[in-house]
Amino acid sequence: MLAPIWYSDRIQASNGNQLWFKLEPIVAHALVRAASYLVSFVIGFAILAPVAIAAGPAEASKYTGPGSCSSPACHGGVQAREETSVLQNEYSTWVVRDKHAHAYTVLTNPVGTRMAKILGLQKPDTAPKCLACHALDVPAEQRAKTFDLTDGVGCENCHGPASAWLGPHTTRDWKYEKSLELGMFNTRDLVKRSEKCLSCHLGTPEKFVDHEMIAAGHPDLYFEMDSFMAVMPAHWKEVDKDPWVGVRTLGIGQAVQLREQLKRVAREAQGAIWPEYAELECFSCHHNLTAAKDSWRQERGYPGRRPGNAPLNLARFMVFRKVIQEADRGAAQQLESEMLRVYSLVTALNSDRRQVASQATATAETADRIAQRLAAMQFDQAMTLRLMKSIAGDGNGIAEQGERSAEQATMVLDSLFIAYSKNGHLGSEAQIKAAIHTLFQQLEDPSAYNGFEFARQLKSLNSLLP
C-alpha cells in the first residue's frame, strides 16, 4: 500500500525535520549502538587510517562498517552544522531516523520468519537471498575488523568501501574527486545515484524480488526517485544549486527505472520461469471482485490484449513518456513505438522468448540514451507546469493502466507541485494540494482501486492548473 505523502511532510522531510512514516521507539537502542560504535571506531580508525593513507588506490578497499563514521568529530554529531561542508550528524541521522538502519532486523520479524519458511530458507537473517538487499553481504576478504553484517543498510551500501579514503578524506583541502579515485561511489551523479537505489528497489541479476517472493509475503517493489529522496531523512547538503534539481532528479529516475525494468524483462525471458508474473500489472488479478455490472475493468474492456491475459506493468513508462516529450519528441516517439512492441510481446504470454529478450534489450538501450540526455538538461518553471498539466490531462490513459501507473502519476505530480511551490506560486495552491491528497487516498487500498474514479480526480486536478 502506498502511504500518503503529504505536501507539508514532504517540505519538512526535505529539511530533515519530519518523516511521513512513524518512527519506531529506537532512540535508546540507537544511543547504545552509537556508543559501542564509538569504541570500535577509535580502535578501528587507529588500525585503518595509517594503512589507508599509505596504501593508495592500488590496494583493494575494504568495508569498515558505519561505526567508522560515528565519531562526534566526523559524522556522529547530534546537531547539524551549517559552517562545515558536511552536516557532521550523518551517522546520527541514519542510526536514529533512517529505516535503512533496520533493514537487517526486519528479517526476523513474524512476516520475515514466515516468508523464510514458505521459501524453504533455513533462516532469513543468514540467507544470501535476503541479505543481498537487507544488509551489506560482501565476501569475508572485503570486510575490515570493524565490519558488522547486522548493521543493515549503512553508509557503504551507497558510498562504497571506505578503508582507502576513510583516513585521507578528513585531511585539510581534501577533494571529493580524490575519494572517488579511492573507491567512493559517486552519488552526486544522478544517473549513478538512481542506479544505486534501484539495485535494491527494483533489482539486478544478483538481487531481485520475483513473484515467488511476493507470494510468500514480500512487498511488491515500486520507486520514484525524487519522492523517495524527499521522505528519506536527509543526511546530506545539496551540492547542486539548480532550483529545479528535483524535477531533473525525477526525470532521470524515471528513465533509469524503465531501463532497469526492461533489462530485467530481457533476463527473465531467457530464464527458467517465463512469464515472470512480477512483471505484470499485479492488480489486474489481485483486486476486489465485484458484480459484473459494477466492474470498471469490464466496462473499460481490454484494448490491445486478450481478455484474461494480465498486461505488462507499464507504470514505469506511462508517466515517463510525458517527461521525455518535453526533452526530445523524436526520442519520445521512438520509445513509445518500442514500448508498444514490448507490451504486446509480454502481454501475449506465449511469445517467442528470444524475441521478448531482444526487443526489451533494444528498448532498454533507448531508455539509457534518454537518461543521459536528461542528465544534461535544464528544467524550469514553465516546463514543470507543462509536465503537471500533461500528466493530469491524461487521466484516462494513466488511470486505465491500473493502480501501479496511478501510483507513479500521483508521486510525480506531488514532486512537481512541491518543486514548483519552492520556486513560485500557483493561485490555487490549497485546492491543488487537497486534490493531490485525494489521489493518494484513492491508492490506500490498491485492491479496491477504481480507474474511472481516479481519472475523474486527475481531471479535477487538471482544471485547477493554470
Side-chain angles (χ1 to χ4, degrees), residues 112-177:
T113 302
R114 185 179 65 192
M115 280 182 60
K117 183 179 179 181
I118 293 171
L119 295 170
L121 304 174
Q122 190 171 11
K123 291 180 65 181
D125 55 346
T126 60
K129 187 182 189 75
C130 305
L131 294 176
C133 281
H134 284 264
L136 184 53
D137 192 21
V138 295
E141 63 272 14
Q142 295 180 24
R143 303 180 184 187
K145 291 182 179 180
T146 51
F147 179 88
D148 186 347
L149 184 71
T150 68
D151 286 328
V153 175
C155 313
E156 291 164 300
N157 287 73
C158 299
H159 296 290
S163 68
W165 47 265
L166 182 63
H169 92 296
T170 64
T171 57
R172 187 181 298 275
D173 298 326
W174 184 263
K175 300 297 183 184
Y176 180 73
E177 290 72 22

Side-chain angles (χ1 to χ4, degrees), residues 4 32 98 117 122 125 158 245 257 267 272 308 367 373 398 417:
V32 172
D98 196 324
K117 183 179 179 181
Q122 190 171 11
D125 55 346
C158 299
V245 65
Q257 70 166 324
R267 289 193 301 269
R373 169 95 165 79
I398 291 171
F417 176 53

